[in-house]
Amino acid sequence: MRFATGMVLIDAPHSALNMLGIDESLADRNVTRVKTFRRGGKRYPYVSPQAWRYWWRFTLKEYFNWELSPLYREQKQVFTAANPLKYPDDDVFGYMRAFKKGGVNVTVTRVSPLKNTPLISILPDRSSVTVDEGYASRHEGDPVPYSQEFYSTVFKGAFSLDLDSVGRFTIISKAGFKNLLTWDDVPKDKKGNPKKGTEEVVNEIKEMERIAEELGVEKRDKEWVMPPDIRKKRVTEAIKALRLLTGGAKQSQYHTDVTPKFVLLLNVDAGINPLISDLVFEERGEIRFDAEALAKRLKDLKEVIPEGAKLYIGYDSGFVRSLGWDVNEIAETIKKAGIEVFTGTVGEAIEEFAKEIEAYYG
């Protein structure tokens, strides 16, 4: 059981990447608010986890030519094709399709191998959010006043990608683990043939089997496993997409580069993420990095860090200089805890980390 874990920092010097919308509670109803949540006595802007996942999917489509799973609507539900053999995003991002088709229960669900947090502002709203008072005046008549919040902050996000689950599809009658339909799901007549009205379901199963045969999928008792090369490609491209992350709202007015300016990457043999919390924090308006806390945490978890695995630190020189961080000092602190460290640009760290992941698949 191995997980590729990571922590990213995204610099948002003047941004409104994921807005809440118009605040209907205000009398003039013309203020567009940023999303915030409360922790302790402070409020923090954030980008929702689904927005980050949307950016991630879009980047994979744009830069790695992933054919994204189409969306369908049934009653009040929207779901994807739920075909992880054909669509890599169904494989990596998971899915839930729960309804009946022609009287047949075609519910399939897949726990997402890729898990991610929201992107959370390190600075609280009182230190990062401001309001732009504007006027719409391109029409005849009096200008119309409006207000919109935006922020200047650094967002922190973390993720974990289950390397064993990618390209591996279970057929277990349990929520999240019945990834594919099988012939057992098709009602039969007295002769053992599929009943009338089940043609769509039968065709879906036949199509899935055809693709499996074409790709060389190994069929086991309760799971199907794709060839290592396909699994390796999907995982490494999902990680490499971070380098080219694209997305965010209000780009025409605020134009923010959402590619990470600082990353920590580490493989662990456990379903945990040692990089997820309390390493980067705000202190008197400044953004700090606690290298000692990270070193102690990794030392404490050394038994789940694979032999030969490194902590990859990728950074943008201008970004860390603006924060007053010394990456060499951070790396030396980690090394003293007995953890190997790689330092380089964000792109170099991601590329080297991807090589370590590739080696896992042989």
Side-chain angles (χ1 to χ4, degrees), residues 85 207-217 219 224:
L85 298 177
E207 173 67 3
M208 203 75 76
E209 291 188 332
R210 183 192 67 77
I211 296 172
E213 180 71 22
E214 189 175 291
L215 297 177
V217 172
K219 296 180 181 177
W224 291 13

Side-chain angles (χ1 to χ4, degrees), residues 302-322:
K302 204 166 182 181
E303 72 271 21
V304 296
I305 298 175
E307 187 177 348
K310 295 177 183 175
L311 173 71
Y312 294 85
I313 304 176
Y315 64 98
D316 177 274
S317 298
F319 176 70
V320 296
R321 184 178 63 245
S322 71

Side-chain angles (χ1 to χ4, degrees), residues 5-7 262-266 275 279 289 294 311-314:
T5 64
M7 187 275 283
F262 184 87
V263 297
L264 296 177
L265 303 163
L266 178 71
L275 312 172
L279 301 175
F289 186 93
L294 177 58
L311 173 71
Y312 294 85
I313 304 176

Side-chain angles (χ1 to χ4, degrees), residues 15-296:
S15 313
L17 296 168
N18 184 215
M19 303 295 279
L20 180 65
I22 297 292
D23 189 343
E24 298 287 345
S25 66
L26 299 178
D28 53 7
R29 296 185 179 180
N30 69 351
V31 181
T32 305
R33 308 294 293 269
V34 301
K35 292 182 177 179
T36 61
F37 75 102
R38 183 179 294 281
R39 185 180 185 188
K42 299 177 181 176
R43 298 196 70 84
Y44 295 85
Y46 72 93
V47 173
S48 69
Q50 60 269 27
W52 187 11
R53 292 170 77 83
Y54 178 80
W55 300 354
W56 211 324
R57 265 191 164 101
F58 179 79
T59 303
L60 285 161
K61 172 180 176 289
E62 289 296 305
Y63 295 99
F64 295 90
N65 297 316
W66 279 27
E67 183 182 2
L68 299 187
S69 185
L71 294 175
Y72 300 95
R73 182 165 187 169
E74 186 74 21
Q75 298 174 347
K76 294 183 179 179
Q77 298 181 45
V78 175
F79 47 84
T80 68
N83 185 339
L85 298 177
K86 181 176 182 180
Y87 302 109
D89 61 321
D90 271 348
D91 180 5
V92 173
F93 291 84
Y95 48 81
M96 181 176 74
R97 184 186 70 182
F99 73 101
K100 290 186 176 180
K101 185 187 290 185
V104 181
N105 185 354
V106 293
T107 298
V108 284
T109 57
R110 174 168 171 77
V111 175
S112 173
L114 177 64
K115 298 170 177 60
N116 61 277
T117 66
L119 296 169
I120 299 170
S121 170
I122 295 169
L123 301 175
D125 65 345
R126 69 186 183 198
S127 303
S128 58
V129 176
T130 190
V131 180
D132 176 51
E133 306 284 355
Y135 291 89
S137 57
R138 295 181 63 188
H139 59 285
E140 291 188 5
D142 296 334
V144 177
Y146 67 92
S147 303
Q148 59 183 6
E149 294 180 337
F150 70 102
Y151 38 69
S152 178
T153 189
V154 172
F155 285 103
K156 180 184 70 175
F159 67 89
S160 173
L161 180 56
D162 185 344
L163 303 188
D164 289 304
S165 290
V166 174
R168 183 178 177 182
F169 314 116
T170 53
I171 310 169
I172 300 171
S173 296
K174 181 180 173 184
F177 294 89
K178 183 170 173 50
N179 300 160
L180 307 170
L181 290 180
T182 69
W183 290 111
D184 293 338
D185 298 308
V186 182
K188 309 290 193 309
D189 60 20
K190 292 180 180 177
K191 294 181 179 178
N193 297 317
K195 285 185 174 179
K196 287 185 178 179
T198 63
E199 290 80 5
E200 272 192 76
V201 181
V202 168
N203 289 337
E204 180 178 326
I205 295 172
K206 285 182 176 177
E207 173 67 3
M208 203 75 76
E209 291 188 332
R210 183 192 67 77
I211 296 172
E213 180 71 22
E214 189 175 291
L215 297 177
V217 172
E218 180 185 353
K219 296 180 181 177
R220 300 172 184 168
D221 181 27
K222 291 288 184 181
E223 64 180 14
W224 291 13
V225 183
M226 299 189 86
D229 285 351
I230 296 177
R231 302 175 72 192
K232 185 189 306 184
K233 183 174 186 294
R234 290 182 175 183
V235 167
T236 55
E237 288 182 348
I239 296 296
K240 290 178 180 178
L242 281 172
R243 181 69 191 97
L244 301 167
L245 201 62
T246 303
K250 302 284 184 183
Q251 288 285 19
S252 58
Q253 292 170 297
Y254 295 101
H255 189 36
T256 301
D257 175 13
V258 299
T259 58
K261 297 297 184 293
F262 184 87
V263 297
L264 296 177
L265 303 163
L266 178 71
N267 281 315
V268 292
D269 285 335
I272 59 175
N273 188 338
L275 312 172
I276 202 169
S277 64
D278 303 325
L279 301 175
V280 184
F281 60 96
E282 181 259 348
E283 184 178 69
R284 298 176 183 175
E286 301 291 328
I287 297 174
R288 309 290 190 191
F289 186 93
D290 194 338
E292 289 285 350
L294 177 58
K296 288 179 181 177

